[in-house]
Amino acid sequence: MSDVLAIANAKKLIEKYCIKSPRQYSIDQIINAEGMAVDEKPLHGFDGSLIHNGKFGIITINSSIKEETQKRFTAAHELGHYCNEKSKFKFCSFEEIMNLKNNSQNERNANSFAAELLMHEPWFKEKVKSRKLNVDLLKELTEYFNVSLSAVSIRLAELDLKPCAVIMTTSGIVKWAFISKSFRYQFIRWGSKVSELSYTYD
């Protein structure tokens, strides 16, 4: 399955439940409506899991996750595995959910599904419109969609609403990068050292 079909699956759920805005529902309500429960408990080495018997299922979120926004995205990611692949048994690590390693197509599809479900493209474009890209806009988007700053930033780059690059670094090393098609520089090597002359280094 391609990410196009994964995105279409998320749109089907939005249409199925006649959702008109991100504030109209919780991800738990959609999961419940799809015949599954949501639970939180310690998961060692994983942030989320999905178990389904063909009729009923449960999505478990690692209770050690501190940010509610990360819990929501993880729940949407696991729902994506069910809707995209009809998975009956799945465990996902933080690295897979956050695209911190070379994910399989199924993991990328689950992330595309989650992004579309939580930040439906028409809603997202409506909020961004001709606004200037700055910290205030990013904060407003995180609050409106109830997602993390990284999720909002990646969504901006994916939809190419502004020329931008989202770069995650640790100790001066690039962990991952997402680049909009209209951004001037299209290649940032993961694992490379950040230039001391760059904004990213600052």
Side-chain angles (χ1 to χ4, degrees):
M1 172 184 286
S2 69
D3 63 339
V4 174
L5 293 177
I7 291 168
N9 285 337
K11 290 178 178 177
K12 285 178 184 177
L13 282 187
I14 291 171
E15 294 171 0
K16 179 179 179 180
Y17 296 112
C18 302
I19 301 169
K20 302 301 181 184
S21 83
R23 300 187 177 213
Q24 187 183 339
Y25 73 99
S26 72
I27 188 62
D28 288 14
Q29 288 175 322
I30 293 181
I31 291 172
N32 293 159
E34 289 297 298
M36 289 179 281
V38 181
D39 188 24
E40 285 190 32
K41 67 180 183 181
L43 292 174
H44 302 291
F46 301 97
D47 267 10
S49 71
L50 164 69
I51 298 176
H52 204 284
N53 65 7
K55 292 184 178 180
F56 305 102
I58 185 167
I59 288 175
T60 304
I61 308 301
N62 192 340
S63 57
S64 68
I65 299 175
K66 296 180 180 179
E67 298 81 9
E68 288 300 318
T69 54
Q70 182 60 28
K71 290 180 180 179
R72 290 184 73 243
F73 196 91
T74 300
H77 176 99
E78 298 305 327
L79 178 61
H81 279 302
Y82 175 71
C83 292
N84 295 340
E85 312 144 35
K86 297 304 178 186
S87 293
K88 294 185 178 180
F89 189 76
K90 188 71 180 176
F91 284 86
C92 297
S93 67
F94 172 79
E95 288 77 10
E96 290 170 324
I97 295 169
M98 291 301 295
N99 278 308
L100 296 182
K101 62 182 184 179
N102 188 18
N103 282 349
S104 69
Q105 185 64 51
N106 286 345
E107 294 299 334
R108 291 193 294 272
N109 289 345
N111 279 338
S112 294
F113 174 97
E116 180 62 31
L117 186 62
L118 298 178
M119 297 171 283
H120 187 37
E121 184 174 345
W123 304 339
F124 202 85
K125 287 183 175 179
E126 178 66 22
K127 292 298 290 185
V128 174
K129 279 189 171 178
S130 58
R131 299 274 302 278
K132 183 178 180 181
L133 177 56
N134 54 32
V135 174
D136 289 337
L137 174 59
L138 294 176
K139 286 182 177 179
E140 183 180 323
L141 292 171
T142 60
E143 292 172 4
Y144 183 73
F145 290 101
N146 194 16
V147 295
S148 67
L149 179 61
S150 59
V152 159
S153 302
I154 291 169
R155 189 68 168 152
L156 272 169
E158 286 177 339
L159 296 177
D160 196 23
L161 301 181
K162 305 286 182 181
C164 62
V166 186
I167 305 168
M168 169 65 179
T169 67
T170 301
S171 301
I173 302 299
V174 176
K175 293 297 183 181
W176 52 257
F178 289 87
I179 307 169
S180 68
K181 292 180 180 178
S182 58
F183 190 68
R184 183 174 179 182
Y185 302 102
Q186 287 294 305
F187 181 73
I188 299 173
R189 187 185 301 278
W190 294 23
S192 62
K193 187 176 180 180
V194 175
S195 168
E196 295 182 5
L197 301 177
S198 68
Y199 285 116
T200 300
Y201 183 85
D202 289 339

